[in-house]
Amino acid sequence: MKKALVLLTFLALTAFLCIPAMAADTPFKTYVFSKKKVSKDWSPRKTVSIKENRALGLFNDRNKRYSSQTVLTIKDIPAQSSVKVKFTMIYVGSWDSGGKLADRFIVSTAGGSELLNITEFPCLLENGDDNMPINNNGLVRVGERERAYWTQPLTFTIPTSEINEGEVKVKFRGYLTGRKTEFWAMDNVELYLN
């Protein structure tokens, strides 16, 4: 009887310790953009075909034919929770790292608090030639041309202080120098509660 009681206590303690850890590894919400239209949580909701998949985008803040940004509205966040966001960023074209013509990708809350600020990109070209990309993940058609693209997993956390009554709006925006040569998209967005 004593052994059974010790075993039950051990199992209960193990479950008590493991269940919160397993919950932290399970996304609160997931967005995969496999259809032309996406969840109303996103604005705008247009997708683009990249290889066999679809992604949210394309975006370019200098080209009137494309949206400049996307905003994700996250609702039903439990009190005192922060939210960890993981997603795949897709850089299309010749994004510039550093210098006068540097591009920038920023994620912020609707109130303006910066959550992510990137100025270094994986977009490499041999001799600066758009037709000679290095280590790209493939090509995507943009207008009349095929452009190289690179993917990069990104992560940021929305602190509890930015969440108001279980809701927060998150703005994703690229500040680009190329009206026709630089674009971005995103895919595989996962939200985790902390």
Side-chain angles (χ1 to χ4, degrees), residues 79-144:
Q80 304 304 313
S81 295
S82 59
V83 179
K84 183 177 184 180
V85 180
K86 294 181 177 182
F87 67 101
T88 302
M89 179 66 178
I90 304 166
Y91 304 100
V92 178
S94 55
W95 285 57
D96 300 306
S97 298
K100 279 187 174 182
L101 297 178
D103 295 303
R104 184 174 298 273
F105 181 74
I106 295 177
V107 179
S108 60
T109 62
S113 295
E114 212 170 82
L115 304 170
L116 185 67
N117 186 336
I118 301 174
T119 57
E120 297 291 325
F121 309 102
C123 312
L124 301 174
L125 304 172
E126 189 174 320
N127 299 321
D129 186 343
D130 280 341
N131 297 315
M132 300 174 70
I134 300 171
N135 298 326
N136 61 308
N137 296 94
L139 299 172
V140 61
R141 180 161 293 285
V142 181
E144 301 166 0

